[in-house]
Amino acid sequence: MPVESALSSDNKELTISIVGRFDFELVQEFRSAYAEKKDVIYTIDMRATEHMDSSALGMLLNMRKTLGESAKISIVNCRPQIKKILTISRFDKKFNIE
Amino acid sequence: MNILIVDDTEANRKLLSWILEDDGHTVIEAVNGQEGVDIFKSESPDLVLMDVMMPIMDGFEATKTIREYLGDTHVPIIFLTALSDDASLAKCLSIGGDDFLSKPINEQVLQAKIKAHSRIRDLNEELNNQKVELEKLHLLTEREHEIAKSVFEKAMGASLRDCTNTRHYISPATTFNGDILLSAPSPSGGLYVILADFTGHGLPAAIGALPLSQTFYDCTVAGDSVSDIARKLNRSLEGFLPDFMFAAAAVLEMNGDGSRVTFWAGGLPDILITDSEGKLKETIISSHMPLGVLEDSEFEREVTIRHPEPGDRFYVYTDGITESLNPKGDMYGDDRMQALFDGTQSDPFTKLIYDIKTFRGDLDQNDDITVIELICSPVELEAEEHTEAPKQGKLPWTLNMSLGPEALLGTSPVSQVIDMMGASPGVSEHKDYLHTVMSELFSNALEHGVLGLSSQLKLTEDGYLDYYTQREERLNELKEGNVTINVSFEVDEKHGQLTVQFSDSGKGFDVNNLRKSDEDDSFGRGVSLIDTLCDSVEYNDTGTSVTVTYTLGKTI
C-alpha cells in the first residue's frame, strides 16, 4: 500500500506513511488516511517517499485546510530532495518539518 | 594377557608360566628387578608378578621405577612374597604394588587375582581413553567458541561505538552475550537503536544475534519505520529460533534534531525517561510480546511516540540490572534503580553501573547486563568518507520525443525520460531535481495544455478531487493531441547545461495568471518549483511551449 496510516499505542498520534511516488494518484487514499481521525497529532512520514510533485503539495494544503490551522501536522524523515521542494514552497510556515 | 614374571628362582618362574600359559596368557620372564624394569620398558606387559627378594635390584625398587615410568597409565603389579609380617605386606602396597600373593602360590587364588586385576586394568584404560577424548572435545569446543566469538564480534562490531547521543554499558555473564545492542544512522539523519535480550545466556542465547543484527542493518539502511523493523525482526526470529527461544527487545528511532522518539518495546523492563537533570519524568512499560513469539499475522506493530525536550534522556536496559542479586539473595529491583533518577545525581548513568557492582559484591553476575542512555539532542555521527566519482568525458546529445494519445494514457513517461538522461555522466546526480522539474513541466503540458483543465477547479478540496477525476476521464477519451519533449545537453570545460523544451497541442494558457496564486492555494505550486530549480524559464506567447535551462555541476 502506498499510503499507510497507523495510530500510536496511546491513540494520540496518527502516522501516515507514503511509499514511493507522492502524486495525484494518491489523492483519494491520502485523503481517507486522515479524514476519519479527529483531534490527534498528525505525522506524515516521508522516509519511503521517493518523489513528490506539486499535486502532492496541493494535497498537503488541502489537509491543512480541512483539519484547520490549529491541528498539529508534522512532516518527518524527508529525503533532501523532498525537503528542498517543501522549503521552496514555504511549507515550513504551515507545517512542522523535521 | 601379556604377563611379566620377575623372580630369581627358576622353579617359581616355571611353575607360574605353566599355570598362566595353560590359561591362555603369554609370559615373559625376568630374573631380577633390573632385568624386570628393562623388559617392562621394551615389552609393555599388561600385568606384572613381582618377587620381593632378588639380587641386583629387589622387587620394591623395581616397582617404584616402573611406577615412575608409567606415570598415569595403570598396569597392575602383584607381589609374590614369602614374607608374612604385616609391615612387609603393607610396604608392598604403599610402594606402588596393587596386591600380593603369598608363597607358596595357590593356583586358584592366582587365577582369581589376575582376573580381578585385569578387570581393574580394563576399567582404567577405558577411563584414560575417555579422559583423552574429553580433553580433545574440550579443546575443540574452545576453538569453536573462539571462532563463534569472532563472528559475533564482527556481526556487531561497528555498532558499539558511542556517538554524542548515546552511552552504553554491556557486561555479559559468560563469554557470549545474550544481550544485543546495536545502533545505526537513519537515511534522514536520525538514529536507530535496538536492545534485545534473548532467553537464557551464553552461546545458545547469542546465536539469535546473527539473524537479528542482519535484519536490523538491512532495515536501517532502507530507512524502515520502527514498526516495520519490529515486524521484520519478529518474522526473522520467529522463523529462525526454536519455540522456547525469543527476545525481549526495544527498537527506537530518534529523528535528526532529537525532538521525536518513536519506539516499539516488548518484554523488556520499563523504559525510563528523565529530564536533562536526571529527574524521572515517565516510565513506559513494554506493551508488546517479546520478538519471536507471535506469528507474523498476529504481530502487534503499534509504536509509542514521545516528543522530548532538548537534553531529555531515555534509559533502556535488560532485566540483568533489576534482577541482579546481592549475597543475601535480594534483588536490586525497580525501586532501587528508579531512586537514582531523582535529579540529585550528577551522572545517574555512571552511578547506576557503580551501584550495581557494589550491590552484587563478591557474587558472580547471574545474567547479562546491558543499559543504554539515549540523549535527546541533534544527532551527531562521524561523517562517512565520501569518495568522489572520477570525472568522465562528457559528450553533448539531444533527445526528442513526441507523445500522442496512446503514449499519454499510460503511466507518466517522465521516469523513463529521466532514466535516459541519467545514463549520461554528470546528469545522474541531478536525477531527483530533474525528476521534479520534468514532472511539473509534463503535468502542465498535459493537464492545462492537451486536456485543457483549469486550475481554478482546485480551489476547494472536492474540486481538487474533481480535477483529477476529470483528468482521467479526458485522458481516456483523448483522440488527438500530443506533448513533444526536446532535451539537449551541452558541455563546456566547467559544467554541463541541459535545455528542456515542452510543447503541447493545446490552446495555450495564461502564464501570468498561473503565477498569481498565493501560498494558501492548493494549485500553482509547480510553476514556482520550476522557477526555483531552473536557471531560466521562458514561456512562449501563447503558453503552448516552455523552455527551461538547468546547469549541472552547480551545488543545489
Side-chain angles (χ1 to χ4, degrees), chain B residues 318-329:
Chain B
T318 55
D319 59 8
I321 287 203
T322 43
E323 290 174 9
S324 279
L325 295 174
N326 69 3
K328 282 192 221 152

Side-chain angles (χ1 to χ4, degrees), chain A residues 4-5 8-9 11 16-17 20 26-27 30 32 37 43 45-46 48-49 53 55 60-61 65 69 73 83 87 91 95:
Chain A
E4 269 186 45
S5 57
S8 64
S9 51
N11 292 326
I16 302 172
S17 311
L26 305 183
V27 163
F30 183 72
S32 50
K37 302 282 186 304
T43 303
D45 192 337
M46 298 271 222
T49 313
D53 68 0
S55 64
L60 289 170
L61 285 172
K65 274 190 226 164
E69 291 301 321
I73 309 177
K83 196 158 192 170
T87 317
F91 267 43
F95 298 90

Side-chain angles (χ1 to χ4, degrees), chain B residues 322-371:
Chain B
T322 43
E323 290 174 9
S324 279
L325 295 174
N326 69 3
K328 282 192 221 152
D330 302 330
M331 261 196 228
Y332 186 69
D334 291 324
D335 294 344
R336 277 194 188 85
M337 172 155 182
Q338 291 184 13
L340 294 177
F341 298 94
D342 60 355
T344 62
Q345 302 291 340
S346 58
D347 183 359
F349 178 80
T350 312
K351 174 77 172 133
L352 172 66
I353 292 154
Y354 173 80
D355 217 35
I356 289 286
K357 284 183 189 159
T358 321
F359 182 77
R360 201 168 61 228
D362 297 332
L363 216 62
D364 277 344
Q365 192 177 320
N366 53 333
D367 194 3
D368 305 321
I369 289 178
T370 307
V371 56

Side-chain angles (χ1 to χ4, degrees), chain B residues 436-479:
Chain B
T436 303
V437 172
M438 299 288 281
S439 298
E440 298 307 330
L441 291 172
F442 178 74
S443 299
N444 284 343
L446 178 68
E447 293 164 12
H448 303 312
V450 178
L451 300 179
L453 289 159
S454 162
S455 320
Q456 295 303 320
L457 261 179
K458 290 191 190 168
L459 274 169
T460 62
E461 196 181 16
D462 287 335
Y464 199 81
L465 261 176
D466 203 27
Y467 177 91
Y468 286 104
T469 315
Q470 284 195 31
R471 180 192 190 276
E472 204 179 334
E473 283 170 7
R474 293 194 191 183
L475 198 51
N476 280 323
E477 287 161 11
L478 193 66
K479 292 285 187 299

Side-chain angles (χ1 to χ4, degrees), chain A residues 9, chain B residues 249-250 263-273 282-289 302-304 306 317 334 338:
Chain A
S9 51
Chain B
F263 59 94
W264 182 101
L268 278 184
D270 292 0
I271 290 173
L272 309 183
I273 305 176
E282 190 181 3
T283 60
I284 301 178
I285 60 164
S286 290
S287 49
H288 297 293
M289 298 283 278
E302 287 75 34
V303 292
T304 308
R306 287 293 177 269
Y317 51 94
D334 291 324
Q338 291 184 13

Side-chain angles (χ1 to χ4, degrees), chain B residues 11 56 79 92 117 124-125 144 152 181 187 198 215 230 265 301 317 365 383 386-387 404-405 416 554-555:
Chain B
I56 305 175
F79 279 103
C92 288
H117 282 285
N124 249 296
E125 199 168 347
E144 284 173 352
F152 285 123
L181 179 63
F198 282 90
T215 310
R301 52 189 302 163
Y317 51 94
Q365 192 177 320
H386 232 72
T387 49
Q416 213 178 327
K554 63 180 179 180
T555 43

